[in-house]
Every structure is written in C-alpha cells, then in structure tokens.
Amino acid sequence: LKWIGVWLILLWRPLRLWLTPRAILAGRVRARAVDLFKVGTEAKTLGRTGVLLYVSLREHRADIVADEAIAAKVAPEVWGDAMASLIDLVRKGQPGAGMAEAVRQMGTVLTEHFPRGSENPNELPDRLIEL
C-alpha cells in the first residue's frame, strides 16, 4: 500500500519536476532541443546557418541550438545575453516579449558573423512553431 501511495503521489507532474535535479532537467531540455533542431532545421540551409530558440514551458527552461557554421564561429557563451533577456522578461510575466527580445539579440549576433546578402538568403521560415 505504501508503494502504491508513493507511486500515485509521484504521478503528479509538478511534484515530479520539483524533485528532479536541475542538471537532469537541463539535460532533458537540451536533448529535446537538439532532437527538434535535427528534425526541423539542421542541414536545411546551404550554409548550415540555422538556429533554434527552444523554450520548454513544462521544465521552465530554454536553450539555443545552432547549426555547424554558426557553432564554429560563435561560442555558446555569446548567447548568454539573449537567454538572460528571455528569462528576465518571462519572470516579469512577459514571455512573448522575452522571446522577441531573445530573437532580436540572437539576430544581432548572427548579423556580425553572417551578414545577409544575395549569397546568404533567408532560407527558413521566420515564425513561431509551437509543439
């Protein structure tokens, strides 16, 4: 009976997420972001310049995944300002504004290394994809 009681309590998702270590949550979010990036964006641009901003509402985590060409030129730490803006505005109750600001800052970083031109057109849709 005790085992069944504990099992039923752990079926409650908020408690399970609260009990799960942060490192495991972060690893799950990163793995999901990479999986979705591979399906939706990776290798779909000629220059391998796709980027994904992944926000997991369930785990309250976000991640940025970049394609090969971007990852070769931009260190992961550079995305920190975009993530900080996203987190700050989400905590203030403005998730849409947070995502917009993060995308704007990501665009600023990308234009430094990959300026838009005729040889580098926009090949991916600029829209929110909700899963």
Side-chain angles (χ1 to χ4, degrees), residues 9-61:
I9 290 171
L10 289 176
L11 285 178
W12 188 43
R13 184 164 299 278
L15 178 62
R16 284 180 49 202
L17 288 173
W18 184 75
L19 292 173
T20 304
R22 291 184 182 270
I24 291 174
L25 288 176
R28 286 180 188 165
V29 169
R30 179 67 180 177
R32 180 76 173 141
V34 169
D35 287 345
L36 291 173
F37 181 76
K38 287 180 179 180
V39 169
T41 307
E42 185 179 52
K44 292 195 176 178
T45 61
L46 293 176
R48 310 252 335 176
T49 56
V51 66
L52 170 76
L53 171 61
Y54 178 76
V55 179
S56 175
L57 298 177
R58 184 184 323 160
E59 286 90 359
H60 299 271
R61 300 246 180 246

Side-chain angles (χ1 to χ4, degrees), residues 1-8:
L1 280 169
K2 287 181 183 179
W3 183 85
I4 291 172
V6 169
W7 178 71
L8 289 172

Side-chain angles (χ1 to χ4, degrees), residues 53 55 57 60 62 82-103:
L53 171 61
V55 179
L57 298 177
H60 299 271
M83 292 299 289
S85 296
L86 172 66
I87 291 167
D88 185 44
L89 287 168
V90 167
R91 285 186 179 154
K92 291 179 181 176
Q94 302 171 348
M99 290 182 72
E101 180 59 24
V103 168

